[in-house]
Amino acid sequence: MTETFAGKVAIVQFPGVNCEYETAAAVEAVGAEAGLFRWNEDPGRLEDSLAIILPGGFSYQDRIRAGVVAAKDRVMDKVAELALAGRPVLGVCNGAQVLVESGMIPGIHWERIDLALAPNIMTDREGYFCTWVHLRCEESGCVWTRRFSIGSVLPVPVAHAEGRFVTEDAGVLADMRDNNQIVLRYCDSGGTVEDVFPVNPNGSVENIAGICNKEGNVLAMMPHPERATWLRQIPEDLAGAWGRKRRLAAGRADTMEGEGPGRAFFTSLIGT
Amino acid sequence: MLQGTVSIEGQADDLVAGDLTRHGLNLTVAEARRITELLGRDPTVVELTIFNTMWSEHCSYKSSRKILRELLPTDAPNVVLGPGEDAGIVRFAEAEDGDWYCFVIAHESHNHPSQVLPVEGAATGIGGIVRDVYCMGADVVGVLDPLRFGDPAGPSGPQVISIARGVVEGIAQYGNALGVPNLGGDIVFDGGYDENCLVNVVAVGVVKESQILRSRVPPQAEDTPYRLILVGKPTDDSGFGGAAFASEDLAGEEEANRGAVQVPDPFLKRVLTEANKRVLELARRRGATIGFKDLGAGGISCVTSEMAHAGGFGVRIDLDRVNLAPGHFPPAVISCSETQERYCLAVPGEIVDEVLAIYNDDFELPHLYHGAGAFVIGEVTRETNYRIESKGEVVCDAPVDVITTGISYERARQPRRLLFEEPELDPGRSLHDDFLAMLASPNLASKNYVYKRYDSEVQGRAVLRPGEADAGVIAPLPGRSVGLAFSVDGNPFYGVIDPYQGGALAVCEAARNVAAVGAVPATITDCLNYGNPEVEEVFWEFAEGVRGIGDACRGIGLITHEGSPIPVVSGNVSFYNQGESGKAIPPSPIIACVGIVEDYSKCRSIRWKDEGDTLYLIGEPLDELGGSEYYRTIYRTFGANVPQADFIRQRRLIKAVVEMHSLGWVLACHDVGQGGLLTTLAEMAMGGGGGELGFTLELGEIPSGLPPEKFLFSESGAFVLELPPGLEREVLALCTRNGVKLYKLGSLVSHPRLEVLSGGSRCAVWGLDELERAFLGGCRGIFGLGEV
Amino acid sequence: MSPYGFGHRRDGGTGSGLEELFVIAWIELWVRLKVVDLVAQTAWMTLTEKLDLRDDLCGLKHYSYWGMDADGIDAETILDDVDRVIRMDSAFTNQNKHCYRLRICDGTPQAGGSGLAIPSGRREGCASTGDLALEKDLPIEGDEKRLLERGGVYVFDCLIRERRGDRERAFEDRLNGRLKAASVSHLKHGELWRMLILADGLEEAQGKLERMLVTRSRREGLLLNPHYQRYEIVSSGPVASGEGLR
């Protein structure tokens, strides 16, 4: 246990998460180093990390409410402290739920819980839903999406039962809009944001798929960019430009092993 | 001094029977006497309980073993480990360092528990099968779930739907939380499963050959003291007697089986999986060889005796050291309880403390689950005795090979005589309406309400997902082009008419399905679900089914190794699938097939790709619609002419299709099976929804000699392929060389509709939107929010 | 004297011109796991260890709850009919893993109104069925010794519901689709937490309770997120020293 996280991306392994390895692979695909941080290790070890990722899965089996138990773990004190100092933090799926339940997102009022990720609302269905969606990149100062141009459309899979961003505080929604904190919205393959299932796969308010803090260094997103890091991961029948690209790569394994739409989230970690 | 012996020797039969019942044992009096003979003395309660589990149908294969040995091929050049341990292992790609990458596959049933407690029963099924793969040292890369439910529109409809929804929920809860993707499965509804659903589960893992763990005490125990560590959930009485329970008829009052249900916990399993990885790393680092096995049916006694037996050692277990849940449990319960989420490790003394620290301190098992943890519960002895102590007293002490002695029965069989008749076709029927009714019937309709509840993306390896093609495909090795394809099949309606064909056709269909994505069938596993084997007709069905599977495996054979059969590397037998009425389920052999594809980038979805491309049919629709969707949905009858598996033809078809894939010709390919050619075309057109291309089928140009309905709905194995235009000559040459029949069907058009003509006059036309409404919505009433 | 309210049948009777008398009663279903409740265990550990509330909380217990208006010819018929349905449908109960209490209590006649107050969860004298001894079902999660030693313990039954009523309506439809002799309305569904709070008075106890329930920050609250859930206290009161403990 002498491993140091200096210069590495620390992936926090709460008990029950299950996307830590593909998240590490996605980080490594862009040439950064990744390391797993077990939840009960000394949080001080995160001090020199390059960035922190809270991966997807079911921390504490979603008991009580997805993300809420992990949000109260000791390591989150350190994550919040480092985030305040500007450390890039990404929460994907269950990681996003942890960030919301810990008050780090939207982070307009320090440590106050201003949002929830509520159970999905879908047509004819309830519970867990796994599918590919399209995301539109909105104008924001988020460090994790700095490689995307505004309005670009990218397909990424979602897989969750509680992914509906919602708030009881209309002021919070307005503030998030004003602060350009709404980073990603669900849209169709042409980029149109339409609040209809399954374009919006969970009934999220304003089709919100990802929200950053005011400073832009912390991002909570329900879709899984690490599952869209290679071109081969895109379903062949997917509509839109990336689906076409995937179909054209059929029979060419080298092209298939090339970059997928989600990789740029991780590329944002390196270079300038 | 042995504690708690039961008097059997010299006792009258009725007294023995009374004692057995009093101890909750299912052993027969004859079996109890046999145990006394083996031991040379009266057994203890603990010993009887152990035998009760070990000699259950589930663990002993006492009715089936002889037939399985006789009829199923289990060896081939690619096999590393055949049936016998927890899972089968097959090589699939050579590693850079000369080692081999292997896949590990296990296939089980969890039928009875799922009927009683659908969510937990199905979840426990997934939990048990992944443990079988993990304990070979492999990473689990996917699960598949063949399911059979009753008739949702029948007299037990509400209960059937409640069970079906619960089972799907249980599979989703466990697999999603564990982070194992769902690679496929199938669902069949039939009134024959009203009282007894089938929940079969398949798990697949990947391991390097040099890192395979064995479920045995390693030979190093000869020189080094080895300890036995039990890790996981605290032992309780949940599932006590579960193995014995799985082999009994379902009693009408389901509450009677309360104690037999296990409580699954994917969270604890996930944490254990991570902790196990660290333990294996530690062992590798320290050069220590360990034995590793999961606890399943029979609990501690099964796992420790089998590990000892496989290594040629003895063990001594101290039940007082087992971590227990709150409550008071007698030694027999602690020895044999089926508490979930537990593993047993045989570990050399010098690393015991470090292993315990990984589980108990690093991963805080005792903190995450009250009473969980890792504890040393015994030691390996060179003297080959199996000894259990409790409260300072010996409650079991017998030679290990006596404990693990099998038992075998010769069951009588008798052909079932049923009369089947072909229906008279009614020329006045509307093809248009009939086909929509078929597509909307639960057996043909899209199962998207089910597979969208499963995480098929986790681990990031998916290439083709459930619903996209005939087989699920993953790219298991990062940066390498090799792919693995998976399919599960088993059409019970063929087996009802002819149980031999039921077995044979399940293998053909599974093999065709992996070939449809371009993969070469490399192995199969089987789960043989039947009624009560003591009923002669049922046992006949079973034996016929196995014969069909064996013949198909040998008849199709490995394409890569001329003369070798497709090996059956793992499997399971599930008997006593019947309800209160005593009526057995339809014969239900279920086959999982794994195929290997050199270049996953050539695996295509079934959806049509481009206007102007040419459609071909290879293979031949025959007048053999017995058991078909068409007969059953439209004529409400089974018919008589069940498809006849022609293994030579199947092998040729598979070879031809795989060859076309490897040449890079194939743009889309879909097997013709359930629902026949027209269903295949419609599914390709819809492509899961939003299809944009259309096609006109002119029957007059196809010299089949069959009436149109039979041509369109025959389920004789075949393939429809979409190839680029201009390849006619090459395709014909390839098919001629392979000795398969080829029909050119025509070209794709940009009009989103499907049309059938006969000699220029229209038989029927459908807009893709109306096909999609029928197909995509057909299971909404069962699995969607809307209630029936 | 019937303990139940009277009303007019709300469905089916249109156009018949007949106004039959039917009882309308409040009916409650409490369901608890027979096996270890891991959610309750995790809640207990999180509240007492991570949120450091050892001195305020001495126990908790966790149920699924359905409460609804039911009407039918008489109380017994309603109870039997609802019992039949909830025993058959594992979305409500499965006797292999749950114990439950279904009880029918007096309610106020309603004319399609909402916001019916749930009668006390500890009310005696309701007709009921099931194998859960609700009144004596005190937490085992907590610290019995402390509870016995010291007074000042208050018990709260708190129902946590989603703000949106979709699921409640789905349950209502599901029941009405299967009931033969009764129909239900105004269904409330959620998780019910029975909390034992140590305090010097009911008001203080309620304040402490609220801080355990409502998640306001990382350091405060656990059991509900106010942005999609809300709670109501079904019943509350002091626990006499040693009451109900084994």
Side-chain angles (χ1 to χ4, degrees):
Chain A
M1 296 298 116
T2 50
E3 191 194 2
T4 160
F5 284 92
K8 287 188 188 174
V9 177
I11 297 168
V12 181
Q13 194 178 33
F14 288 112
V17 304
N18 58 31
C19 301
E20 62 268 52
Y21 292 101
E22 55 262 43
T23 304
V27 167
E28 281 159 3
V30 302
E33 265 191 281
L36 297 186
F37 175 90
R38 206 183 53 244
W39 83 98
N40 55 2
E41 293 180 59
D42 171 16
R45 297 182 57 230
L46 294 174
E47 198 67 55
D48 302 324
S49 58
L50 173 68
I52 297 168
I53 300 183
L54 311 183
F58 289 73
S59 59
Y60 297 92
Q61 207 184 353
D62 285 358
R63 286 175 197 157
I64 303 170
R65 206 164 58 252
V68 72
V69 179
K72 296 178 191 305
D73 259 340
R74 187 174 55 135
V75 63
M76 288 309 293
D77 290 332
K78 191 72 190 176
V79 174
E81 176 199 319
L82 293 172
L84 195 62
R87 186 72 43 87
V89 176
L90 173 66
V92 172
C93 198
N94 190 241
Q97 292 161 337
V98 174
L99 289 177
V100 164
E101 288 288 353
S102 68
M104 288 173 62
I105 291 293
I108 297 168
H109 310 94
W110 176 239
E111 295 217 325
R112 197 172 91 180
I113 310 295
D114 276 332
L115 285 174
L117 279 161
N120 298 348
I121 295 174
M122 305 176 281
T123 305
D124 284 348
R125 297 172 198 254
E126 60 178 347
Y128 197 90
F129 190 58
C130 173
T131 196
W132 277 71
V133 294
H134 286 86
L135 304 179
R136 193 177 75 185
C137 225
E138 308 288 7
E139 184 176 355
S140 80
C142 181
V143 300
W144 290 93
T145 53
R146 65 194 175 118
R147 301 280 178 191
F148 296 102
S149 49
I150 296 165
S152 58
V153 176
L154 57 146
V156 181
V158 288
H160 58 249
E162 292 91 12
R164 175 167 53 99
F165 279 105
V166 64
T167 177
E168 275 294 293
D169 185 342
V172 165
L173 200 56
D175 285 349
M176 291 196 309
R177 254 187 255 116
D178 295 346
N179 300 336
N180 286 343
Q181 287 180 253
I182 300 171
V183 181
L184 300 164
R185 281 196 165 91
Y186 299 109
C187 63
D188 65 16
S189 61
T192 306
V193 175
E194 198 188 352
D195 189 5
V196 52
F197 180 82
V199 169
N200 181 348
N202 51 33
S204 196
V205 61
E206 294 197 7
N207 283 39
I208 295 174
I211 295 176
C212 70
N213 60 349
K214 272 181 299 186
E215 295 73 22
N217 61 313
V218 182
L219 172 62
M221 62 187 289
M222 288 311 293
H224 286 271
E226 79 282 7
R227 300 181 184 181
T229 298
W230 285 272
L231 185 60
R232 65 170 153 81
Q233 294 175 313
I234 296 181
E236 192 179 0
D237 300 334
L238 198 72
W242 279 97
R244 267 196 302 285
K245 199 168 170 184
R246 162 71 175 77
R247 284 190 288 282
L248 288 173
R252 290 181 291 146
D254 290 353
T255 316
M256 287 281 213
E257 289 296 322
E259 184 171 340
R263 188 172 301 179
F265 285 93
F266 304 100
T267 318
S268 68
L269 286 170
I270 52 167
T272 49
Chain B
M1 179 57 204
L2 278 175
Q3 281 303 304
T5 51
V6 178
S7 299
I8 291 173
E9 219 178 327
Q11 293 283 333
D13 280 1
D14 55 336
L15 288 179
V16 175
D19 272 349
L20 291 174
T21 312
R22 197 161 48 79
H23 291 293
L25 302 169
N26 299 313
L27 291 164
T28 65
V29 174
E31 285 171 341
R33 295 203 190 284
R34 171 91 184 110
I35 293 164
T36 309
E37 230 171 81
L38 280 170
L39 292 170
R41 56 166 168 80
D42 281 335
T44 65
V45 178
V46 171
E47 287 164 347
L48 275 179
T49 311
I50 294 172
F51 277 104
N52 186 62
T53 307
M54 303 276 262
W55 285 7
S56 70
E57 194 69 64
H58 179 84
C59 292
S60 72
Y61 292 81
K62 59 188 171 191
S63 302
S64 59
R65 191 161 42 177
K66 195 160 165 286
I67 284 178
L68 298 175
R69 286 232 172 104
E70 215 170 273
L71 296 174
L72 295 183
T74 56
D75 201 19
N78 59 353
V79 174
V80 176
L81 189 66
E85 287 200 33
D86 294 283
I89 305 183
V90 175
R91 291 192 193 104
F92 72 89
E94 197 172 354
E96 299 75 3
D97 55 5
D99 203 347
W100 278 86
Y101 288 107
C102 304
F103 64 80
V104 181
I105 183 163
H107 191 166
E108 266 273 14
S109 64
H110 225 231
N111 305 339
H112 298 98
S114 303
Q115 179 77 16
V116 178
L117 203 53
V119 179
E120 287 77 7
T124 310
I126 299 283
I129 203 72
V130 296
R131 268 199 315 279
D132 284 338
V133 171
Y134 280 130
C135 78
M136 310 304 295
D139 276 334
V140 176
V141 297
V143 294
L144 298 96
D145 52 343
L147 310 173
R148 304 290 179 266
F149 301 118
D151 181 358
S156 307
Q159 197 203 5
V160 163
I161 290 172
S162 174
I163 289 172
R165 293 171 71 102
V167 164
V168 168
E169 178 63 25
I171 291 169
Q173 276 180 10
Y174 204 101
N176 295 351
L178 191 60
V180 169
N182 194 286
L183 304 175
D186 70 340
I187 300 180
V188 179
F189 298 95
D190 182 65
Y193 303 106
D194 275 358
E195 295 178 274
N196 194 126
C197 69
L198 300 185
V199 174
N200 284 193
V201 284
V202 180
V204 188
V206 170
V207 67
K208 270 186 158 183
E209 188 167 349
S210 65
Q211 297 186 354
I212 294 169
L213 289 180
R214 298 300 298 272
S215 308
R216 66 176 183 210
V217 175
Q220 284 84 345
E222 193 67 45
D223 311 311
T224 318
Y226 265 67
R227 302 278 178 266
L228 293 172
I229 294 178
L230 177 71
V231 60
K233 236 179 168 173
T235 298
D236 55 25
D237 62 350
S238 82
F240 179 62
F245 161 72
S247 308
E248 269 181 286
D249 303 355
L250 278 190
E253 195 52 51
E254 285 159 2
E255 290 164 54
N257 291 318
R258 185 169 306 170
V261 171
Q262 308 107 329
V263 182
D265 187 343
F267 169 69
L268 192 60
K269 172 72 63 55
R270 176 75 195 112
V271 177
L272 274 173
T273 301
E274 281 306 294
N276 288 342
K277 278 186 198 164
R278 301 292 100 80
V279 167
L280 299 187
E281 282 167 16
L282 167 77
R284 253 173 238 141
R285 211 163 54 233
R286 301 285 301 270
T289 307
I290 65 174
F292 192 43
K293 191 170 167 63
D294 75 301
L295 275 77
I300 294 172
S301 64
C302 247
V303 74
T304 52
S305 61
E306 283 174 9
M307 283 175 81
H309 180 70
F313 293 92
V315 292
R316 183 194 297 257
I317 308 286
D318 184 356
L319 293 184
D320 299 343
R321 299 168 82 172
V322 173
N323 52 322
L324 297 177
H328 300 284
F329 310 111
V333 171
I334 303 172
S335 307
C336 296
S337 148
E338 271 189 25
T339 308
Q340 292 293 296
E341 326 303 359
R342 294 182 300 167
Y343 291 98
C344 181
L345 291 84
V347 173
E350 69 261 22
I351 65 164
V352 162
D353 289 343
E354 289 167 86
V355 169
L356 296 179
I358 288 175
Y359 289 120
N360 298 336
D361 302 336
D362 292 354
F363 284 88
E364 297 186 16
L365 288 181
H367 194 75
L368 293 178
Y369 188 105
H370 191 70
F375 300 89
V376 174
I377 61 159
E379 59 189 17
V380 174
T381 61
R382 265 185 282 178
E383 168 210 18
T384 57
N385 251 34
Y386 186 74
R387 189 180 164 104
I388 301 179
E389 292 169 17
S390 169
K391 310 263 184 288
E393 290 172 338
V394 180
V395 294
C396 167
D397 191 1
V400 163
D401 51 1
V402 167
I403 295 283
T404 55
T405 305
I407 180 172
S408 181
Y409 284 112
E410 192 85 35
R411 302 277 189 207
R413 44 185 128 158
Q414 171 75 46
R416 191 188 289 281
R417 304 224 178 271
L418 290 172
L419 264 186
F420 292 97
E421 269 181 53
E422 282 285 293
E424 192 83 32
L425 295 191
D426 171 6
R429 296 199 63 92
S430 155
L431 176 61
H432 177 269
D433 297 355
D434 282 355
F435 185 52
L436 287 180
M438 284 173 68
L439 277 186
S441 77
N443 280 333
L444 273 194
S446 166
K447 306 300 184 298
N448 74 89
Y449 282 93
V450 174
Y451 58 73
K452 291 279 187 189
R453 294 199 66 148
Y454 302 148
D455 193 343
S456 50
E457 303 290 343
V458 63
Q459 299 188 359
R461 294 186 170 101
V463 175
L464 288 172
R465 299 148 182 82
E468 290 181 354
D470 289 335
V473 178
I474 59 169
L477 307 178
R480 303 230 351 213
S481 66
V482 63
L484 292 176
F486 307 92
S487 178
V488 290
D489 291 280
N491 183 326
F493 308 117
Y494 304 147
V496 167
I497 303 175
D498 181 344
Y500 171 85
Q501 294 298 348
L505 291 168
V507 177
C508 295
E509 173 86 30
R512 273 206 315 277
N513 279 336
V514 301
V517 298
V520 179
T523 190
I524 67 155
T525 60
D526 58 355
C527 190
L528 306 166
N529 308 275
Y530 290 88
N532 178 353
E534 296 155 51
V535 175
E536 296 183 359
E537 284 88 354
V538 169
F539 199 68
W540 171 77
E541 288 173 344
F542 166 74
E544 283 293 285
V546 176
R547 190 167 68 84
I549 292 168
D551 284 356
C553 287
R554 280 180 292 268
I556 299 172
L558 286 181
I559 306 289
T560 44
H561 299 80
E562 196 77 41
S564 285
I566 297 177
V568 183
V569 294
S570 185
N572 173 238
V573 178
S574 172
F575 281 133
Y576 299 96
N577 290 292
Q578 61 183 40
E580 207 174 353
S581 66
K583 187 170 173 280
I585 57 160
S588 306
I590 293 176
I591 301 295
C593 182
V594 186
I596 300 167
V597 56
E598 269 180 32
D599 182 353
Y600 71 76
S601 75
K602 292 176 180 166
C603 299
R604 307 302 302 263
S605 69
I606 61 169
R607 186 186 175 104
W608 285 336
K609 302 299 186 296
D610 276 306
E611 184 184 354
D613 290 340
T614 314
L615 286 193
Y616 295 92
L617 171 69
I618 74 167
E620 196 177 358
L622 301 172
D623 185 359
E624 45 183 25
L625 280 77
S628 67
E629 277 303 307
Y630 182 63
Y631 278 6
R632 288 186 312 100
T633 308
I634 305 302
Y635 289 95
R636 305 267 159 207
T637 177
F638 273 75
N641 301 340
V642 74
Q644 301 294 304
D646 178 338
F647 307 124
I648 305 293
R649 184 184 294 164
Q650 292 293 325
R651 181 184 169 87
R652 287 174 178 165
L653 273 176
I654 288 168
K655 245 184 116 180
V657 165
V658 168
E659 202 177 320
M660 284 192 240
H661 271 97
S662 62
L663 287 165
W665 292 352
V666 178
L667 299 170
C669 176
H670 192 8
D671 153 69
V672 176
Q674 227 181 344
L677 173 65
L678 193 55
T679 305
T680 300
L681 292 172
E683 287 177 354
M684 295 178 91
M686 293 182 284
E692 289 164 351
L693 298 173
F695 182 70
T696 298
L697 181 66
E698 170 53 87
L699 295 172
E701 288 173 14
I702 302 161
S704 73
L706 292 182
E709 297 88 343
K710 289 199 173 175
F711 181 76
L712 293 171
F713 297 120
S714 166
E715 299 183 0
S716 309
F719 295 93
V720 172
L721 293 120
E722 175 190 347
L723 305 183
L727 278 176
E728 278 89 3
R729 278 194 14 235
E730 291 89 336
V731 175
L732 185 61
L734 188 148
C735 289
T736 312
R737 181 156 40 77
N738 280 291
V740 296
K741 212 149 189 168
L742 176 77
Y743 301 95
K744 184 178 162 188
L745 298 179
S747 299
L748 297 177
V749 296
S750 60
H751 214 64
R753 65 176 198 186
L754 190 59
E755 188 179 35
V756 178
L757 305 179
S758 181
S761 65
R762 180 183 276 175
C763 304
V765 63
W766 301 267
L768 292 193
D769 50 350
E770 69 180 326
L771 293 178
E772 283 174 15
R773 266 197 309 278
F775 180 69
L776 297 176
C779 283
R780 183 191 296 128
I782 302 167
F783 294 110
L785 250 193
E787 285 284 311
V788 166
Chain C
M1 281 291 290
S2 162
Y4 309 108
F6 287 91
H8 299 287
R9 188 173 210 164
R10 279 189 295 266
D11 61 338
T14 44
S16 72
L18 288 173
E19 297 220 320
E20 293 176 73
L21 275 182
F22 270 72
V23 296
I24 301 180
W26 183 252
I27 197 163
E28 284 181 354
L29 172 63
W30 296 54
V31 178
R32 176 165 71 66
L33 284 172
K34 283 176 184 171
V35 294
V36 184
D37 184 340
L38 295 167
V39 174
Q41 215 175 68
T42 303
W44 169 255
M45 277 181 3
T46 309
L47 287 166
T48 56
E49 292 175 21
K50 289 182 181 168
L51 296 180
D52 207 16
L53 297 170
R54 272 178 211 84
D55 297 335
D56 296 339
L57 180 67
C58 63
L60 56 79
K61 202 132 195 166
H62 166 237
Y63 309 82
S64 290
Y65 173 96
W66 290 262
M68 65 210 97
D69 270 348
D71 65 6
I73 195 81
D74 58 39
E76 201 182 328
T77 311
I78 296 173
L79 198 64
D80 284 353
D81 201 24
V82 176
D83 192 44
R84 176 185 61 81
V85 173
I86 59 109
R87 285 171 67 89
M88 190 178 74
D89 186 343
S90 57
F92 297 96
T93 66
N94 182 318
Q95 279 100 75
N96 294 299
K97 63 173 171 178
H98 295 133
C99 46
Y100 75 97
R101 173 70 38 190
L102 178 70
R103 58 184 181 183
I104 191 160
C105 307
D106 54 347
T108 324
Q110 294 286 310
S114 57
L116 182 76
I118 298 178
S120 164
R122 296 164 70 71
R123 183 180 301 264
E124 307 290 324
C126 298
S128 73
T129 177
D131 52 352
L132 170 62
L134 200 50
E135 278 71 21
K136 293 187 178 150
D137 203 37
L138 278 175
I140 50 166
E141 208 59 71
D143 187 340
E144 286 181 25
K145 200 160 154 249
R146 211 162 32 153
L147 183 58
L148 284 165
E149 277 169 2
R150 180 195 150 154
V153 178
Y154 295 85
V155 61
F156 293 87
D157 286 342
C158 323
L159 176 63
I160 295 179
R161 300 164 65 196
E162 285 187 31
R163 288 180 182 275
R164 287 180 57 106
D166 309 45
R167 269 174 70 75
E168 294 180 339
R169 281 192 294 278
F171 275 119
E172 201 172 288
D173 293 347
R174 197 178 176 107
L175 280 173
N176 282 328
R178 294 180 181 181
L179 288 169
K180 288 179 180 149
S183 70
V184 298
S185 55
H186 307 120
L187 183 141
K188 289 181 175 184
H189 165 63
E191 285 188 286
L192 198 140
W193 293 86
R194 180 166 282 183
M195 310 283 287
L196 263 66
I197 310 283
L198 284 159
D200 298 324
L202 187 62
E203 204 172 320
E204 188 195 79
Q206 193 155 343
K208 287 179 170 180
L209 172 75
E210 148 112 3
R211 282 194 295 280
M212 290 176 197
L213 291 176
V214 186
T215 312
R216 303 216 182 274
S217 79
R218 190 149 49 83
R219 293 185 178 77
E220 191 189 356
L222 177 70
L223 297 179
L224 72 93
N225 183 318
H227 294 283
Y228 81 99
Q229 292 168 308
R230 56 185 167 169
Y231 76 96
E232 52 202 84
I233 294 173
V234 174
S235 74
S236 62
V239 181
S241 178
E243 180 195 323
L245 291 170
R246 293 177 305 268

